[in-house]
Amino acid sequence: MPKAAEIPQHVVDTRYLRELSERILDGYLDSEEEEGIIEKVGRDLEDAAANRHCDCDPDERGEEEVRGDSDDEDGWFCSYHTTKEQYKMHVVLDGARLDIEANPSDFPKAIYEEICERCSLEKSKDLQPRAKKKGHLDGQIQTSPPPSPAHPCVFPPFSLHHLPPEILLEIVLLAQATNPHAHLTLSHVDASLRTFINSAPLLWCQIDFLYPLQLVHLYLER
């Protein structure tokens, strides 16, 4: 004997809305009075239950057998995922609660308290998946490595040695125009620049005989 399929929770919830609507409307169906808060809440719950219709409910399906033309393993197609947000349990019950609180005098207190209690339960059930998802995302954020800092814009290294010799010579001569001993200072920058300056006679052609004798001999050698 095949085991009876377990009824999905959304079907149980829909049946509850339908049964709650029947309890609220009981005794008022034949009333000719203008619709009050009791009738409005009952009709809204009835409408929500109708819009949550799904073939997962054997009572709605009218059959237990698996259909041969179905590609679903249970023999029918679940349409609950297409239900609009306004017909979700927590939304429907919260709307009923607000309607009752707007005009509470005529509504049965026991049913109002039941609606409030069930509404709180459904809200907590709705928040749990969101909290788990948020926690998962927070965990990802915490465990993810920090973003790499942006690399500053760096120009390629430049050296005087990249200049042609004739341009480098002009630069040193311009420095000599304001400081006659500039070439001596520049010769202490590095070995390659010192070699260049020592091998450029034009930089050593102006001799001041007030220089120390050793320096005069150096000029003459160059």
Side-chain angles (χ1 to χ4, degrees):
M1 181 178 179
K3 182 180 179 180
E6 183 178 352
I7 298 177
Q9 183 60 45
H10 65 271
V11 173
V12 175
D13 292 340
T14 302
R15 290 181 177 182
Y16 171 75
L17 290 178
R18 189 181 301 114
E19 183 268 336
L20 182 61
S21 169
E22 291 172 356
R23 277 194 285 141
I24 293 173
L25 292 174
D26 186 30
Y28 295 93
L29 295 177
D30 299 327
S31 174
E32 295 180 359
E33 297 179 3
E34 184 178 352
E35 183 183 76
I37 187 62
I38 297 178
E39 290 87 351
K40 181 182 185 308
V41 172
R43 297 298 182 189
D44 288 347
L45 294 174
E46 185 179 50
D47 179 66
N51 281 278
R52 289 167 56 92
H53 167 79
C54 178
D55 281 346
C56 292
D57 190 345
D59 294 343
E60 296 292 334
R61 202 166 62 246
E63 59 180 5
E64 294 288 351
E65 296 81 8
V66 175
R67 296 204 307 264
D69 59 347
S70 171
D71 60 358
D72 188 276
E73 62 178 349
D74 294 323
W76 61 81
F77 301 95
C78 179
S79 57
Y80 178 72
H81 65 279
T82 62
T83 301
K84 296 180 179 178
E85 183 68 21
Q86 68 192 76
Y87 298 121
K88 302 294 184 181
M89 279 292 287
H90 67 283
V91 178
V92 173
L93 292 172
D94 198 42
R97 179 185 63 82
L98 293 174
D99 286 339
I100 297 168
E101 291 176 353
N103 187 11
S105 58
D106 296 334
F107 205 88
K109 183 179 179 181
I111 295 182
Y112 165 69
E113 292 175 350
E114 178 185 341
I115 289 175
C116 290
E117 183 178 352
R118 183 64 183 265
C119 181
S120 298
L121 175 63
E122 294 299 331
K123 282 184 177 180
S124 65
K125 287 164 56 178
D126 181 64
L127 291 175
Q128 285 175 1
R130 299 185 189 182
K132 289 181 180 179
K133 183 177 180 181
K134 182 179 183 302
H136 175 68
L137 293 177
D138 290 344
Q140 285 185 328
I141 294 173
Q142 293 173 2
T143 56
S144 298
S148 301
H151 295 287
C153 181
V154 179
F155 292 99
F158 174 78
S159 173
L160 290 174
H161 311 303
H162 296 159
L163 297 173
E166 58 272 18
I167 294 179
L168 183 57
L169 179 62
E170 290 294 328
I171 292 175
V172 178
L173 286 173
L174 287 173
Q176 276 187 328
T178 57
N179 179 6
H181 308 295
H183 60 296
L184 294 175
T185 303
L186 291 173
S187 67
H188 290 83
V189 172
D190 59 32
S192 58
L193 191 57
R194 181 165 55 253
T195 301
F196 171 78
I197 291 174
N198 291 342
S199 61
L202 190 59
L203 300 176
W204 302 89
C205 63
Q206 295 183 3
I207 303 176
D208 188 341
F209 286 96
L210 294 178
Y211 289 165
L213 187 60
Q214 184 179 2
L215 186 59
V216 172
H217 287 166
L218 179 63
Y219 268 75
L220 294 174
E221 289 176 1
R222 300 286 185 265

